[in-house]
Structure formats: structure tokens, C-alpha cells
Amino acid sequence: MEERGNQRKHEEEEEEIVCLDASFFVDDNYKLTNFTFGSQDIELFCLHSASTDFDLTGQLVWPGAMLLNDYLSKNVKMLQDCTVIELGSGVGITGILCSRFCHKVVMTDHNEEVLKILKKNIELHSCPENISSISHELVAEKLEWGNTGHINEILQKHPGGFDLILGADICFQQSSIPKLFDSVKQLLQAREGRKCKFILGYVSRAKTMDSLIIIEASKLRMKMKEVTGTRCIVGNLEGVVFEVTLE
């Protein structure tokens, strides 16, 4: 009995350990999908279900992006000839909509895999054969929230800051919220006294997060205001658009 047990132990020790490549967890089976916001049709590549990697949430179009795009499509005057930076752009659905009205749009994300699909969608909408191709500047940049170096690099390429900062359904992890609002504050301050605001398409998934975003904005001396008439049900969840400015 003891000999058999030792043999089994020896076999287990010799069992081959399988190491999975990181690509195993990445789903890049993107589908060309059409979305409509008011009179604007947008076609882009995205996933229809989540990847196995939580860090790849940017491969989908989330309810908060639908909410924010609906709001922006009804208020295009606020976008006319503006410069915009979007945080957590994902596949780029909000930035691409804005590029049809804005002077310049800088879309950002921190994940290299997400940046690949973001750039692919920029190319799709910059193609002359595309009847809705953009004529204004639309670029993608890497930005990890809280990374002052990344922000400084972006501001060196785009001096003077931006008129608008956008974020659509980007409040998922509690640990990322202080870094998010730190980046927002730096970008708001970059306007050097000129008016700038952060427009956030927010979807409520947890009461702790609902409270945290307000607390964090207040802590950094930012004023958070709900945009009247934007609170609604989106994707079976309650969503709302906020405007955030420096106090």
C-alpha cells in the first residue's frame, strides 16, 4: 500500500504543468456593428459579450456609452468646434460621434489590447471610402489614470488642454476612482483659467460607488451636478449624466 502511494505521488510530481499564454484570455472576435444616435449612424468593431479578462471591459459598448451618446446627439451645439479628450474610450463609440462635430478628439485607454481595436475603429472612420469619414483630428493615446507622466505627454502634444473631458460608464472598480478624479482634476486645471468641464455618463451598479464618486469629487474640490432630464433606465440599470467642474 505504501509503495503504491509513493508511486502515485511520483507520477503526480512528474505531471506536466500547462502554462497558458496571455492571449488565451483575450477574445478578439470583433463584429462590425451599427449604432444610431439621433441622425447619426456609427459603424464600428466591438465584442457582443465580455472577454474573460476583467481588464478588457473596453472591448464592449456599455450602457453608459449609449446614455452619453444619446445626450450628446441631442446637444451637438456644445460640441461644435470643441477640443475633447475622452477617458476610458474603449472601442471609441463616444469619441467617434464627437469627431463629427468637434475640432479635435483625443481618445484614451490604458490597455494595449483595447488600444488596438480603438485604433482600428479610428482607421475605419478615417477611410475615404467611408461616407461618414471624419475630416477633423481624431487620435488615440495611452493614458493610465493617475499617471501624471501620461497626462503631461498628452498635453505636450495637445497644448492648451481641452474644452471638454468625457467619460462613459467608466466607474467600475472602487480602487480606480481616486486615480480617475485625480486625472480629471489635472486636465481641468490644464485649461489655464478657461472654462472646461467633465461630462460623465454614469450607470448605477452599487450604492457604494454612487457615494464614492461624489465623495471623491468633493475631496478634490470639484463640483458635481446632475444634468436635468438625463436620469433614465438604460440596460435595466439607472443611468444619469453628470457635469463636473472645478469649484
Side-chain angles (χ1 to χ4, degrees), residues 30 54-60 62 85-93 106-119 122 139-147 150-151 153-154 166-170 172-173:
Y30 300 110
F54 180 80
D55 197 37
L56 292 171
T57 53
Q59 295 174 302
L60 300 173
W62 290 90
I85 183 167
E86 184 187 9
L87 307 180
S89 297
V91 294
I93 193 166
V106 177
M107 299 193 288
T108 70
D109 210 285
H110 78 283
N111 185 282
E112 294 294 345
E113 193 65 34
V114 175
L115 283 167
K116 287 180 187 177
I117 187 60
L118 179 58
K119 290 175 181 177
I122 289 175
V139 296
E141 302 282 0
K142 182 170 184 174
L143 173 55
E144 184 177 346
W145 299 341
N147 189 319
H150 284 178
I151 292 174
E153 285 179 21
I154 290 172
L166 301 179
D169 221 339
I170 55 176
F172 285 96
Q173 292 177 296

Side-chain angles (χ1 to χ4, degrees), residues 188-221:
L188 287 171
Q189 290 174 330
R191 284 301 280 169
E192 301 171 351
R194 287 171 289 173
K195 286 186 177 180
C196 175
K197 58 186 173 183
F198 172 41
I199 302 177
L200 174 65
Y202 179 76
V203 173
S204 175
R205 293 182 175 85
K207 292 192 179 298
T208 51
M209 183 65 79
D210 298 347
S211 301
L212 183 59
I213 60 171
I214 295 171
I215 291 169
E216 200 60 39
S218 177
K219 191 187 298 183
L220 294 177
R221 301 185 64 81

Side-chain angles (χ1 to χ4, degrees), residues 167-181:
D169 221 339
I170 55 176
C171 300
F172 285 96
Q173 292 177 296
Q174 292 185 35
S175 60
S176 70
I177 300 305
K179 296 176 183 178
L180 166 62
F181 278 90

Side-chain angles (χ1 to χ4, degrees), residues 45-242:
F45 292 100
C46 65
L47 292 185
H48 290 183
S49 60
S51 173
T52 54
D53 189 336
F54 180 80
D55 197 37
L56 292 171
T57 53
Q59 295 174 302
L60 300 173
V61 173
W62 290 90
M66 303 297 287
L67 170 66
L68 184 57
N69 279 28
D70 181 64
Y71 169 71
L72 294 173
S73 69
K74 294 174 181 175
N75 296 274
V76 293
K77 284 186 178 180
M78 70 187 296
L79 299 174
Q80 294 287 353
D81 298 322
C82 281
T83 56
V84 168
I85 183 167
E86 184 187 9
L87 307 180
S89 297
V91 294
I93 193 166
T94 297
I96 289 169
L97 173 67
C98 292
S99 69
R100 297 180 178 179
F101 307 97
C102 297
H103 172 65
K104 177 198 295 182
V105 178
V106 177
M107 299 193 288
T108 70
D109 210 285
H110 78 283
N111 185 282
E112 294 294 345
E113 193 65 34
V114 175
L115 283 167
K116 287 180 187 177
I117 187 60
L118 179 58
K119 290 175 181 177
K120 184 174 182 178
N121 281 327
I122 289 175
E123 290 175 7
L124 175 67
H125 285 267
S126 302
C127 176
E129 288 79 18
N130 190 329
I131 58 172
S132 60
S133 64
I134 53 169
S135 57
H136 298 151
E137 186 177 354
L138 178 63
V139 296
E141 302 282 0
K142 182 170 184 174
L143 173 55
E144 184 177 346
W145 299 341
N147 189 319
T148 301
H150 284 178
I151 292 174
N152 288 340
E153 285 179 21
I154 290 172
L155 291 175
Q156 285 174 5
K157 293 180 183 178
H158 311 279
F162 302 89
D163 298 306
L164 294 173
I165 305 162
L166 301 179
D169 221 339
I170 55 176
C171 300
F172 285 96
Q173 292 177 296
Q174 292 185 35
S175 60
S176 70
I177 300 305
K179 296 176 183 178
L180 166 62
F181 278 90
D182 175 70
S183 295
V184 168
K185 185 173 184 178
Q186 290 185 61
L187 290 166
L188 287 171
Q189 290 174 330
R191 284 301 280 169
E192 301 171 351
R194 287 171 289 173
K195 286 186 177 180
C196 175
K197 58 186 173 183
F198 172 41
I199 302 177
L200 174 65
Y202 179 76
V203 173
S204 175
R205 293 182 175 85
K207 292 192 179 298
T208 51
M209 183 65 79
D210 298 347
S211 301
L212 183 59
I213 60 171
I214 295 171
I215 291 169
E216 200 60 39
S218 177
K219 191 187 298 183
L220 294 177
R221 301 185 64 81
M222 288 187 275
K223 180 179 166 186
M224 198 163 190
K225 183 182 73 172
E226 178 178 328
V227 178
T228 304
T230 61
R231 189 170 288 273
C232 63
I233 300 300
V234 53
N236 298 319
L237 297 167
E238 188 174 58
V240 64
V241 176
F242 288 109

